């Protein structure tokens, strides 16, 4: 169970980071064309954050299924 709780805590942090990245991307889009040069960087940060979040959610699902069986 310790692994599951650790992963849940990590997911909480990753979710906050992904939400921040999403908001950064949203804010950038509202300010366009100002700072258009940072589109790629901000989008890459958001993509990486959501990719990691998705990966960890899948890992948690696998761990929880193992505990159930």
């Amino acid at each position: 169970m310790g692994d599951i709780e650790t992963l849940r805590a990590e997911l909480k942090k990753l979710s906050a980071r992904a939400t921040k990245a999403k908001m950064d991307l949203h804010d950038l889009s509202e300010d366009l064309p100002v700072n258009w040069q940072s589109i790629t960087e901000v989008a890459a940060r958001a993509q990486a954050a959501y990719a990691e979040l998705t990966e960890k959610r899948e890992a948690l699902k696998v761990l929880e299924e193992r505990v159930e069986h």
Side-chain angles (χ1 to χ4, degrees), residues 51-62:
E52 187 174 5
L53 182 60
T54 300
E55 180 183 315
K56 296 294 180 175
R57 282 180 176 160
E58 290 172 3
L60 177 61
K61 184 178 177 181
V62 168

Side-chain angles (χ1 to χ4, degrees), residues 14-32 38-39 41-43 45-47 49-50:
L14 288 172
S15 181
R17 192 173 88 198
T19 299
K20 172 148 179 17
K22 176 180 74 171
M23 293 309 298
D24 290 347
L25 191 56
H26 176 266
D27 292 346
L28 175 64
S29 71
E30 286 188 339
D31 292 339
L32 289 173
S38 63
I39 292 172
E41 175 191 335
V42 175
R45 256 195 334 258
Q47 182 182 20
Y50 277 95

